[in-house]
Amino acid sequence: MPVCQRCQAQIPQDEARELRGQVLCEDCYMDALSPARTCDPWATYTASRLGSQELSPVQEKILAEIDRRGAATAEELMAAAGIDARELERQIAALRHMELVRAAPALGGGKVFRRFHDRPEAAA
Ligand SMILES: [Zn+2]
């Protein structure tokens, strides 16, 4: 009687299956054919989320405006993204958390928003 090479169970001759050169019992054969059962879809999902920080369209507009200007005021970002001050605050908090944007003091007072890793012009 053949023996399953995975679970070592003895297999009745007519239930033996062969997969990639291995003799398997019916259960192990089905298992081997559906690898989706053993992989964790949630783990894959979170891993891919972290890998490519997905930005909302509004966040992309904010970043684009900052990139265009180097440093943008809240008013400029609100106008560019079409959002109000409250929403901007929310978006900036998210972007800061992703280390994409930070607030910096503006030359004439108030504050501007810059890219997180952008160094202020120290010599200027
Ligand atoms: Zn088996």
Side-chain angles (χ1 to χ4, degrees):
M1 200 181 284
V3 171
C4 172
Q5 293 183 12
R6 263 198 173 189
C7 68
Q8 314 303 320
Q10 292 195 329
I11 321 163
Q13 187 64 57
D14 60 335
E15 285 180 21
R17 299 284 183 272
E18 207 187 301
L19 185 71
R20 298 180 206 111
Q22 284 193 313
V23 178
L24 301 174
C25 69
E26 182 91 42
D27 284 348
C28 290
Y29 180 76
M30 296 306 288
D31 220 51
L33 283 187
S34 52
R37 227 197 291 173
T38 54
C39 99
D40 181 356
W42 180 249
T44 311
Y45 175 73
T46 47
S48 71
R49 288 279 297 182
L50 290 177
S52 65
Q53 292 176 326
E54 270 181 57
L55 299 174
S56 71
V58 165
Q59 290 168 341
E60 278 174 7
K61 281 182 194 165
I62 291 173
L63 288 180
E65 187 67 7
I66 292 175
D67 283 343
R68 202 165 66 80
R69 295 175 177 273
T73 65
E75 287 73 22
E76 287 163 349
L77 293 179
M78 285 188 275
I83 55 178
D84 61 18
R86 194 184 195 148
E87 179 63 13
L88 179 67
E89 210 166 287
R90 242 167 47 84
Q91 298 298 342
I92 291 292
L95 290 168
R96 193 189 294 143
H97 187 73
M98 289 186 262
E99 301 197 352
L100 290 173
V101 167
R102 64 185 174 81
L107 285 180
K111 63 179 177 179
V112 292
F113 297 96
R114 293 178 164 279
R115 293 303 295 249
F116 194 84
H117 294 291
D118 183 21
R119 294 252 126 244
E121 47 287 350

